[in-house]
Amino acid sequence: DTAVSQTPKYLVTQMGNDKSIKCEQNLGHDTMYWYKQDSKKFLKIMFSYNNKELIINETVPNRFSPKSPDKAHLNLHINSLELGDSAVYFCASSQDGGSGELFFGEGSRLTVL
Amino acid sequence: GNSVTQMEGPVTLSEEAFLTINCTYTATGYPSLFWYVQYPGEGLQLLLKATKADDKGSNKGFEATYRKETTSFHLEKGSVQVSDSAVYFCALSPMDSSYKLIFGSGTRLLVRP
């Protein structure tokens, strides 16, 4: 039973489209995150949520809108996709925000053509 | 600001060789330090951690010691295996900013039989 699951795993789309990535965790954690990994494997935090409340928004363009309907889910919606949005997006969760012990999903590879 | 610097890869070793991957950090106060590992096609997994100076984290034969005086957290393993081939990320959790794990750029390790 997957602890942190993301869908879809692969996403290929055209510039200007809108797309969503879903994430669910069954660990009972309070905190969830979205990270972006670029082609050089560099990982950068985008958002973190604690009990459905936005805690960190790391200067991400407002085309990216996270939504947390409950503390087990954190979805990422991206409007007007650009070439530079191509990356692997990782969802993660942790029991609390300060421990640094994150559980990651397998990633969603987004390719914008 | 807070940052993590890792040695550039790839690091290529023969099986049973000794491994060192260097990691240094910049942070205020006493951050917690982590090593995460990413196997091909998977999300990141926590490998080990240390939360205060002189702590040694260890797991699966890997070790790293939190050195405050040199602001380092180098990863070592005495005898690597082919199955250790992966990308290794050093990370820190700042004292002054929870809910945010800051990653280094990752170091790819390739172990040849």
Side-chain angles (χ1 to χ4, degrees), chain B residues 23-80:
Chain B
C23 170
T24 57
Y25 68 90
T26 302
T28 51
Y30 294 87
S32 295
L33 301 174
F34 305 83
W35 278 99
Y36 278 78
V37 58
Q38 184 179 26
Y39 297 104
E42 298 184 11
L44 281 74
Q45 304 172 26
L46 178 63
L47 181 59
L48 54 85
K49 69 173 187 177
T51 57
K52 59 184 188 296
D54 300 325
D55 264 4
K56 178 187 281 189
S58 60
N59 186 24
K60 299 181 182 179
F62 291 89
E63 292 183 341
T65 301
Y66 189 143
R67 302 282 188 205
K68 180 69 176 172
E69 63 278 11
T70 54
T71 61
S72 65
F73 193 55
H74 305 321
L75 182 68
E76 296 181 337
K77 187 175 185 183
S79 175
V80 292

Side-chain angles (χ1 to χ4, degrees), chain A residues 9 31 33 35 37 40-43 45 48 50 55-56 58 90 96-102 104-106, chain B residues 4 32 34 36 38 41-46 49 51 87 89 93 97-106 108:
Chain A
K9 197 167 182 179
T31 307
Y33 311 79
Y35 278 83
Q37 186 175 48
K40 296 185 178 179
K41 297 289 189 182
F42 186 67
L43 263 170
I45 188 165
S48 65
N50 182 255
I55 302 295
I56 286 183
E58 196 71 0
F90 284 98
D96 59 62
S99 71
E101 296 186 45
L102 273 58
F104 282 81
E106 293 185 343
Chain B
V4 177
S32 295
F34 305 83
Y36 278 78
Q38 184 179 26
E42 298 184 11
L44 281 74
Q45 304 172 26
L46 178 63
K49 69 173 187 177
T51 57
V87 181
F89 291 89
S93 178
S97 177
S98 295
Y99 304 98
K100 179 162 55 174
L101 200 58
I102 296 168
F103 287 90
S105 54
R108 182 179 297 278

Side-chain angles (χ1 to χ4, degrees), chain A residues 40-110:
Chain A
K40 296 185 178 179
K41 297 289 189 182
F42 186 67
L43 263 170
K44 187 168 166 50
I45 188 165
M46 301 174 70
F47 303 102
S48 65
Y49 271 72
N50 182 255
N51 279 318
K52 302 192 301 175
E53 288 193 26
L54 179 66
I55 302 295
I56 286 183
N57 178 342
E58 196 71 0
T59 60
V60 178
N62 57 16
R63 298 183 295 105
F64 291 79
S65 51
K67 283 190 172 51
S68 183
D70 55 61
K71 75 174 192 177
H73 295 84
L74 180 61
N75 304 323
L76 183 66
H77 187 75
I78 316 170
N79 290 328
S80 304
L81 278 157
E82 300 176 357
L83 293 177
D85 298 331
S86 295
V88 181
Y89 292 84
F90 284 98
C91 178
S93 73
S94 65
Q95 180 58 47
D96 59 62
S99 71
E101 296 186 45
L102 273 58
F103 291 76
F104 282 81
E106 293 185 343
S108 297
R109 181 178 293 277
L110 171 65

